[in-house]
Structure formats: C-alpha cells, structure tokens
Amino acid sequence: MPTSEHQFQIIFNHSPVGMAVLDTGAHIQHVNESACAIFNRPETDLHGEALYRFLHEDEIDLFIEQFKDMIVDGSYPLQTIVRVKNIDGTEPWCRLNCSYVSGVETSPFVFVLLEDVTEERRGQERLRREKEIAERATRTKSAFLANMSHEIRTPIHTVTGMTELLMETRLDPEQREYGEQIRFGAEVLLGLINDILDFSKIEAGKLSLEVIEFDLVKTIQEAVDLVSLEAHKKGLDVVIDIAPHIPQFFDGDPVRLRQVIVNLFNNAVKFTNTGEIVLEARQAPDISRPAIVIRVIDTGTGIADDKLNRLFKPFSQVDSSTTRKFGGTGLGLSISRSLIELMNGSIGVQSREGQGSTFWFTVPFVDKGMRRFSVDKPNLNRSSAHRVLVVDDNRRTCEVIRSYLRAWNLDVETVQSGEEALKRLHPREDREDNYDIVLIDAVLPGIDGWQLASEINSLRNEAGRETRLILMTPAGVMGGEAKMKLLNWFDAYVNKPVKWADLARALEAAFVEVAPIVDDAEDADEIAELETLDSDDEQTADETGSRPLDTKESVVEVASTACVLVAEDHFVNQQLFRTILEKTGCTVEVASDGQEALERASELKPGVVFMDIQMPRMNGYDAARAMRDAGLNMPIIAVTANAHSDERQRCLDYGMDDYMSKPFKPKDVRQLLTQWLGRHSSQELQETLSTGSGTADTVPVLNYTGAVESFMGKPDVLRRVMRGFLDKVHVQIDELTRLLDEKNAVEIRSTAHSIKGGALSLEAVRLGQAASRLEDAAEQEQIDDCIALSTELGNEYRRLRSEWTTYDSDYEAV
C-alpha cells in the first residue's frame, strides 16, 4: 500500500494544474509535468534555476520586487499574470499564485500554482480591440451625424425661411396649399434629423440632462401648445386636465420633459382621426415615492395586444403598414423611454385595438414643501354668486371646466349643444333666467358658437339682460372668423385647450367695461392679428387705399431706428435675413465673412449683430472674440446649424450673447431682436438718464397715428382701450408706492413689466421706456434706483394723461 508521501508525489506529478516548489530565492526545487508543459522545458532544465529567468524581460523586475515583498511580509500570497519566454519563441501568458510556507519541521519555501491563461488573455485583448473599434466607430458616427446635420439644416433653413415669407404674401388657395405642403415636408425632415441625433447621443451615452428649477405646469401647457394646432386641424378636441394642488416647481430638465410630452402627443394625433386627446397630470398615489403621473389619452385606432411589445424599440412601429401610412423613424417612443429612464422614472402604455390608447410616464420628485399649483379666484367685481352655463359638445372639456369653476365657488351647469343652451336661456313663465356667464365652444354640432351668440344677444337685448358671453375657440383656427369679432357679440375670448389662468383672465375681462390690456408685445401681436381682416377684406382695403396693420412689422418697438448687422456668407440667407429684418423697420447691413463683419461693426456700431458661425476668412467665433477685444459691446447672436448641446455654451465662451439654430423662422428672429435690441436700448437710455444728458424730449409722449393704426384705424376702439389703460395704471402707480415701501423687487418688476407692455402696445413711448427702466432696476434689486425711476414713471404717466385729453376731451382719470 503506497504511503501518504508517495500518494502526494503522484498527485503532484500528474495534476492538470502546474505546480512548483521554490526556495526563498525563487529557485525551482520541484516542478510537475503540467508546469514543464507551460515552460516548454524538461524538469532537468528547470531544476535549480531561478523562476524569473524563464519570464519575458518586461516582467522580470516587477516579479522580483513582488517576490521579495512576499518573503519579507510572509502574510499574503503573490498573485500575478506574467508572460513566459519559451525556447521556441512563443510567449504564453501564465497566472502565478505564490504562497510563502514556513514551519518548525521544514525550511521555509514557496509553493506556486501555475495556470496557462493565454487564450483568456487573447480573448480579453480581442474584446479590448473590438471595444476600441466600436468606440471609434461611434465617435465617427457622431461626428458624421453632426456634420450631416449641419449640412442638411442649412438648406432646410432656406426652405422653411423662404416658405414662411412666401406664406405671408397673398396667395390663392391652391398656391397656399402647395406652400403648406412644402413647409410641412421641411418640418418633418427637421424632426427626423433631430430624432436621429438624439438617438445617436443616447446610444453613445453622451446625452446628459440639465438640472434646474422649472415650472411643471407651464412646461406641460407649453408642450401642448406646440402641437395642439395639428390636432385642431384634424377636428380633434384637446383637453389639458391638471389637478389642483400638485407640486408646481421641479428640479430637472424642462426641455427634455417637454420633448417627451410632445412625442407622446404627436403620436396620439397621428393615430387619432376623430374624438379627443386628453393630457392628464396627477400626483402618484404612492406616497412612499413621490412622483407626478402624466397621461396622454386618445380615442384613436388603439394597438393590438400582440403588437404592444414592439413599442419603445428603436426604428419600430406597430406594423409595416402603419409605417407606410404615417411615416417617421420609429424613434420617438424609444427616445422618450430613454429620457424618462434618465430621469429615474418609468413609462408605459395601455391600449386596446379600436378603443384608443393611454401612454403614461412618471417623474419622481423630492417633496420639499414646495408650492402647489393653484390659480387665484378671478375678481368679477360682484359680490353675488355667479351661475355659469358651459356649452361644449365634448364631455371631458365640460368636466375640466366645471372643476375649474367650482374650485372658484361658481355654480356651473353644462350642455352639449347650442339647441340645449337656447332651451336653458330662453325665458319661460315658470323660470327666470339668471345665468351670469355663458362659455360657448366655437365649434358645435348644429348651431355653431357664432350662431348661438347671435341668438343669445337677441334674447338679452330684448330682456335687457347682462349675461356675459365668452367664446372658446381652438388655438390657431380663429383667423378665418376674425372679422366676426367686430360684431362684439362676445365679452371675452379664450383659446382651447382651456387653461386655468387663461379662463380666469377671460372671466375678469368679461366683467370690465373696456377691452383688456395685454401685458406684453407678443400677446398684443396675437390679439392684433386676430382682429386683422381676412384675405377677402384685404382686397377691399387695397381698393379703398387703406391697408390692415401688419402686426409683424410692429413687433419690435425700438426697431425703427436700429441698425442690424448680418454676418452671413450665403447669398440666399442674406436675402432671407434682410427681408425679415426690414419688415420690422430696421436698417440692415450685410457682411460676407468674419473679417468684413469686424470692420463693419467697428464702423457702424450696430444695435445687434447676427453672426453666422461657418464663414470664410474669419469664422464667427473668432469674429465675435475680435469684436469684444476691440471694445464693441453690442449684442451678438450666434446663428448656426450645429445642433450639439454644447454649441450654445461654446458661443457664449467666445463672447456672444445668445444663440439661434438653423433652420429658423421669422418669429425667431423677431423674438431675439425684441429681446436684445430692446434690452440694449433700455441700457443706453438708462445711461443717458443717469448722466442727465440726451434727447429724451425728442421721444414722443404718444404716437397717436400709430396707435390708431394698431387698432385697425378705429379711434373709438383706441379711445375705449386707452381709457381703461390709464385708469389701470393710475391704480398700479399707487400700488408701486406700497411695493417700494416693502422693497418688494419681484412685484415692482412685475408691475413695471405690465405697464411697459400696455404702454408700448398703445404707442405711449415715453411711459413704456420709463417702465422698462424701472423693470430693469427692479430685476437688479436696485431699490434706491427704483424709487427715483418710479417718480419718473409717475411724471410720464401724467404727461400721457394730459396729452390724451387733447384727443379725448371727455376723459377724466379716476
């Protein structure tokens, strides 16, 4: 029977794992067959030799150092992977596990396990190379997509810009339809480019989210406003149902959240032909993980159960026939899922074929006792309770409006047709009609909103009633009926989908004796646009020698004396800029490259520079930096087709003030022009005021002719509006006294902004400029300056009131 020592010797010699015994100097004392195979040498060649003699030269020094450390410490094994140098020139990789052994019965030695890991290392090296190749390919793809985006966006910019200008000219119906198709096709192409770029960023792990505080309710409403027009064009009802008391302010990325909502809403519009699309916002019931749940509910075609698993996958739609019918990349839902997951939320869908779909997502938030969403009850200037009748054929719209009105303690009834409304409103012997307000949908089956208003006005004229009428009209489809507003059948108007704040303002407007004054130029432009005669009336206006006001020409209040420099090397884009800017009243100068732009800017000192980035001789970045180095401080707006997220910051780093991406629309140019030209001008006016010099007296108190034009050439309308404005400002100036005592810079700025918007809309130039200076000072929380500027504002108000009496001798301010 073999002894234990003999058994051990057999196991040692024939083990599939390489084994060796070394002395403390790393010399080989014993080695088994598997170890000899690894070294590709017989035992006789290995015995007594130092192990490191058989390692690759690059491995020897490190191994000796580690081996000595193991002998000195003695408490931890040496584990390493080294290359072996064989006689035949091969260099296999070997994993060594060395353990130091010491005891009283034997001299210290080192026991070594050896394992050939050449194939493992080759696999790792192959994976590393493949990873590097994949990363290079991803970088190349990203660079390619960015460059292609730039190249494609430039001609798209020309197409959309020129189409926008074309659509502002007089076209016959057939030509207008063709123009709409061109614009739609360009916008679809731009959307596809954006989707592919986003997907590429997500795939490369390069998409990052911004974290800022934002207004959730405003973000939701803005997202729906962006896309509700397409739904209204299809005759769909759109409803926004935001529950009261949900958290209103979040920390997160509002742009990406808006993108998700727009994707889901567009998807709903695409697959819904009749019915409605509802956007709900609620707080999730699980209080352990506070979250907001947003649902987009449609009455569309729905999705079969066996096709639900195709959703949220890239380049996939529910089936090939849908892809052919509706088009698209199939990336929208995939991108939405990735964005929501980056926000630590979840997304999903519930649907049944033929019964519509509900897409939902959750966004978690940290409850910090933040402000909850609510809207103050409108001031209706009456102490008695109010009865409201809502006329809308969409039951969900009725439910939402009812919830709004009941939250304000109003008594609400709803009907679904004009005929039902007339039955409720028609006087009967057994019932006295006492509805204070009737909210009427413009689009009703049978009797539409305008016909119903005509009937109701006949009733209230006969009975001497004071029922107030408010028209609810789908956003973007009012233009064809704008001239009906001249009949004054309605006391106020509100766009659909109806929002809390808009409804409150409409109710307040319905109970004042004058038309409401808008608080900013954009709203003024919108109202003026609605009140402009349609194309049929334009012909009559031309024949009589008068022309309806082009509201787009009066958007920028200070543009009439401004010089704008456009640095752009593309001839078509130069003409596009010139056409847009000259319509605002600006003087336009063009430079074809960065060097010329620098020279022209030094010579002209323009109010604003629009700076293209890619130009010959000197690019836009270098031109902007050179302008700043030369002491030129006018606003510089970068214009680029580069859609990368870091492009805006790069432009700011080079000294530019803002960023506009191609393709852009005329309204984008006008908006930036208003923002920067107005800001720059008010800063110059402030400097003039502070030095006591300048030509303030040359600025008119009131441009009466321009104001009459703004109100369609109707002095009586201007008279009614101006009276209401002056009375309102009188109250606001008294309020400013209290706010200054409280040093409430936020409310001072808000009040000044309100006065500025109304004044500039009414061509009360000096009052508008005084309000603008006060607004700027309040924004900087310069309370001492606000006190002086408030006095100036009061003086300008009194000048305006005195000037106005020369045109309206019957007016007496409150």
Side-chain angles (χ1 to χ4, degrees):
M1 183 173 183
T3 64
S4 298
E5 183 179 349
H6 183 61
Q7 288 178 328
F8 175 78
Q9 186 66 41
I10 293 173
I11 293 171
F12 180 84
N13 289 333
H14 299 287
S15 171
V17 178
M19 297 181 183
V21 177
L22 313 180
D23 62 17
T24 55
H27 296 91
I28 299 173
Q29 304 299 310
H30 303 284
V31 65
N32 70 356
E33 295 176 2
S34 297
C36 291
I38 291 173
F39 289 110
N40 196 22
R41 287 178 172 84
E43 183 179 1
T44 54
D45 289 352
L46 297 172
H47 185 77
E49 297 291 341
L51 177 64
Y52 52 76
R53 287 191 59 243
F54 305 105
L55 303 184
H56 191 279
E57 292 83 351
D58 294 343
E59 313 283 350
I60 294 175
D61 291 342
L62 179 59
F63 176 79
I64 292 174
E65 181 181 349
Q66 292 175 329
F67 190 86
K68 287 179 178 179
D69 289 343
M70 179 189 66
I71 297 298
V72 171
D73 186 277
S75 62
Y76 65 91
L78 167 59
Q79 297 179 337
T80 185
I81 296 178
V82 295
R83 279 179 292 173
V84 176
K85 190 172 183 180
N86 285 337
I87 298 174
D88 59 4
T90 59
E91 297 178 351
W93 288 89
C94 179
R95 180 182 289 115
L96 302 180
N97 285 279
C98 307
S99 300
Y100 178 71
V101 181
S102 64
V104 296
E105 298 181 357
T106 182
S107 300
F109 66 92
V110 176
F111 180 67
V112 183
L113 294 176
L114 304 93
E115 181 183 1
D116 189 336
V117 293
T118 303
E119 289 303 317
E120 179 181 329
R121 291 287 295 198
R122 286 175 179 168
Q124 292 175 349
E125 182 65 19
R126 184 170 58 254
L127 289 175
R128 185 188 63 79
R129 288 196 302 269
E130 290 174 352
K131 179 174 178 290
E132 289 178 352
I133 292 171
E135 288 174 345
R136 282 198 300 271
T138 299
R139 288 193 296 270
T140 301
K141 181 176 68 174
S142 297
F144 171 77
L145 287 173
N147 289 332
M148 288 305 299
S149 168
H150 182 279
E151 295 301 324
I152 295 173
R153 281 170 180 270
T154 298
I156 293 179
H157 155 240
T158 302
V159 172
T160 56
M162 287 300 182
T163 304
E164 193 81 15
L165 293 174
L166 175 67
M167 299 302 289
E168 292 177 5
T169 64
R170 184 177 302 163
L171 304 173
D172 63 38
E174 184 178 9
Q175 292 169 331
R176 185 164 296 277
E177 181 181 354
Y178 295 157
E180 289 289 354
Q181 291 296 326
I182 295 171
R183 179 163 58 187
F184 176 76
E187 289 174 351
V188 168
L189 182 56
L190 184 61
L192 298 181
I193 293 170
N194 290 336
D195 279 351
I196 293 171
L197 279 174
D198 278 345
F199 179 74
S200 175
K201 292 176 186 176
I202 292 169
E203 190 181 41
K206 296 292 182 67
L207 187 68
S208 59
L209 298 181
E210 187 178 24
V211 180
I212 60 172
E213 185 179 83
F214 69 95
D215 186 332
L216 174 69
V217 174
K218 182 179 179 182
T219 299
I220 292 173
Q221 292 175 344
E222 287 177 345
V224 176
D225 286 343
L226 286 172
V227 289
S228 59
L229 180 58
E230 288 303 315
H232 290 149
K233 286 180 179 178
K234 294 181 71 172
L236 303 175
D237 280 306
V238 178
V239 183
I240 299 178
D241 187 2
I242 301 176
H245 310 306
I246 67 171
Q248 184 167 357
F249 291 94
F250 270 64
D251 289 335
D253 191 328
V255 174
R256 291 302 182 179
L257 183 65
R258 185 186 301 119
Q259 181 179 353
V260 173
I261 295 173
V262 168
N263 276 343
L264 297 184
F265 198 97
N266 274 332
N267 194 66
V269 172
K270 186 187 298 185
F271 296 102
T272 305
N273 294 319
T274 59
E276 65 186 17
I277 300 173
V278 180
L279 187 140
E280 281 185 353
R282 301 283 189 270
Q283 186 167 342
D286 184 3
I287 60 175
S288 64
R289 186 174 182 266
I292 294 296
V293 181
I294 296 178
R295 298 181 180 89
V296 178
I297 307 165
D298 66 61
T299 55
T301 56
I303 305 166
D305 291 342
D306 61 340
K307 295 175 181 176
L308 285 173
N309 60 352
R310 297 187 185 181
L311 298 175
F312 304 108
K313 293 182 179 179
F315 304 104
S316 174
Q317 293 186 339
V318 292
D319 59 38
S320 58
S321 63
T322 300
T323 304
R324 286 195 298 271
K325 181 177 179 181
F326 294 102
T329 60
L331 288 174
L333 292 179
S334 174
I335 291 170
S336 297
R337 181 192 65 184
S338 298
L339 292 175
I340 292 300
E341 289 175 351
L342 282 173
M343 298 176 192
N344 297 317
S346 56
I347 189 169
V349 61
Q350 297 169 338
S351 182
R352 294 188 63 182
E353 191 170 11
Q355 298 184 25
S357 304
T358 299
F359 284 83
W360 59 267
F361 66 88
T362 63
V363 181
F365 66 91
V366 178
D367 195 341
K368 309 172 185 175
M370 58 187 73
R371 198 171 98 195
R372 301 278 168 164
F373 170 59
S374 63
V375 176
D376 294 336
K377 181 178 179 180
N379 179 14
L380 303 185
N381 301 323
R382 293 186 180 185
S383 58
S384 60
H386 298 275
R387 291 192 67 212
V388 182
L389 180 64
V390 179
V391 188
D392 197 305
D393 60 315
N394 185 280
R395 293 185 181 276
R396 187 60 181 265
T397 299
C398 289
E399 291 172 5
V400 171
I401 295 177
R402 182 193 291 118
S403 70
Y404 293 171
L405 297 172
R406 286 184 174 173
W408 296 327
N409 298 320
L410 299 176
D411 184 10
V412 187
E413 294 182 23
T414 63
V415 293
Q416 271 72 55
S417 70
E419 290 82 358
E420 279 189 84
L422 287 175
K423 290 178 183 178
R424 297 287 186 96
L425 292 164
H426 205 285
R428 296 197 327 229
E429 293 182 1
D430 60 340
R431 179 177 58 81
E432 180 183 355
D433 168 53
N434 60 347
Y435 288 108
D436 298 285
I437 305 165
V438 182
L439 283 143
I440 302 174
D441 185 17
V443 183
L444 290 169
I447 299 177
D448 68 15
W450 288 103
Q451 292 173 305
L452 178 58
S454 174
E455 296 287 343
I456 295 174
N457 273 280
S458 298
L459 291 175
R460 66 180 181 177
N461 289 338
E462 292 171 6
R465 298 188 181 104
E466 296 183 1
T467 304
R468 310 291 180 161
L469 303 186
I470 299 175
L471 181 68
M472 303 181 294
T473 182
V477 299
M478 181 66 184
E481 299 176 341
K483 63 182 178 180
M484 298 291 288
K485 294 185 71 175
L486 300 176
L487 298 172
N488 294 322
W489 284 345
F490 290 95
D491 300 283
Y493 301 85
V494 62
N495 277 340
K496 297 180 73 177
V498 177
K499 309 176 186 72
W500 284 74
D502 291 350
L503 182 58
R505 283 194 291 268
L507 290 171
E508 290 180 345
F511 281 92
V512 298
E513 297 301 323
V514 296
I517 299 297
V518 293
D519 284 344
D520 56 46
E522 182 178 346
D523 289 341
D525 182 44
E526 195 170 324
I527 287 178
E529 204 165 70
L530 289 177
E531 292 182 345
T532 301
L533 300 178
D534 65 8
S535 58
D536 293 333
D537 295 312
E538 288 178 6
Q539 181 65 37
T540 304
D542 288 340
E543 292 170 357
T544 59
S546 62
R547 183 177 62 87
L549 174 68
D550 185 350
T551 58
K552 294 180 177 59
E553 295 180 7
S554 59
V555 171
V556 184
E557 298 87 353
V558 292
S560 58
T561 59
C563 173
V564 177
L565 176 63
V566 175
E568 167 66 64
D569 63 317
H570 195 289
F571 173 76
V572 175
N573 291 341
Q574 290 176 355
Q575 298 308 306
L576 178 60
F577 263 116
R578 186 183 294 279
T579 304
I580 295 171
L581 291 169
E582 286 182 346
K583 280 194 172 186
T584 69
C586 294
T587 300
V588 183
E589 298 290 338
V590 175
S592 298
D593 58 57
Q595 183 62 43
E596 184 182 353
L598 175 60
E599 295 167 359
R600 299 288 283 162
S602 301
E603 171 191 351
L604 297 169
K605 304 295 192 298
V608 173
V609 177
F610 284 93
M611 180 74 73
D612 187 34
I613 296 301
Q614 303 296 332
M615 291 187 293
R617 282 217 293 172
M618 180 186 290
N619 63 38
Y621 302 122
D622 295 338
R625 177 164 288 174
M627 288 179 185
R628 297 309 186 212
D629 292 342
L632 300 174
N633 62 355
M634 77 288 289
I636 302 175
I637 300 169
V639 184
T640 175
N642 191 337
H644 272 260
S645 59
D646 58 354
E647 178 65 15
R648 180 185 182 88
Q649 186 58 49
R650 185 181 181 189
C651 292
L652 297 178
D653 292 343
Y654 273 87
M656 290 179 254
D657 299 279
D658 212 330
Y659 165 95
M660 181 172 71
S661 62
K662 296 179 182 179
F664 57 79
K665 296 183 178 180
K667 66 180 182 180
D668 301 325
V669 177
R670 290 192 288 264
Q671 180 179 348
L672 285 168
L673 195 63
T674 303
Q675 175 184 346
W676 287 105
L677 192 57
R679 180 180 304 181
H680 192 60
S681 298
S682 60
Q683 288 172 349
E684 291 178 345
L685 287 168
Q686 181 64 45
E687 292 170 1
T688 301
L689 180 67
S690 65
T691 59
S693 62
T695 58
D697 291 337
T698 66
V699 178
V701 174
L702 173 67
N703 177 9
Y704 180 77
T705 302
V708 172
E709 287 184 4
S710 296
F711 287 87
M712 302 168 61
K714 294 183 176 295
D716 56 327
V717 177
L718 172 62
R719 187 157 49 247
R720 188 170 69 249
V721 174
M722 181 63 84
R723 287 177 175 183
F725 171 71
L726 290 171
D727 291 348
K728 179 179 179 182
V729 174
H730 181 88
V731 175
Q732 289 175 312
I733 288 176
D734 290 342
E735 180 71 8
L736 278 173
T737 302
R738 179 183 65 80
L739 296 173
L740 287 166
D741 290 340
E742 297 174 356
K743 297 183 178 181
N744 189 338
V746 174
E747 290 299 324
I748 293 171
R749 179 182 178 277
S750 176
T751 303
H753 179 80
S754 172
I755 295 172
K756 180 186 75 172
L760 294 176
S761 296
L762 288 165
E763 299 287 341
V765 183
R766 287 177 57 152
L767 178 61
Q769 291 176 347
S772 177
R773 291 190 284 273
L774 177 58
E775 180 186 12
D776 291 342
E779 186 174 10
Q780 300 299 321
E781 298 186 355
Q782 299 168 346
I783 299 299
D784 291 341
D785 291 345
C786 287
I787 294 172
L789 291 168
S790 178
T791 301
E792 181 199 354
L793 181 73
N795 293 335
E796 293 300 341
Y797 166 71
R798 284 184 284 275
R799 286 192 185 97
L800 174 62
R801 189 176 63 187
S802 175
E803 178 92 0
W804 177 245
T805 57
T806 63
Y807 301 102
D808 184 8
S809 57
D810 296 332
Y811 173 71
E812 292 183 6
V814 295

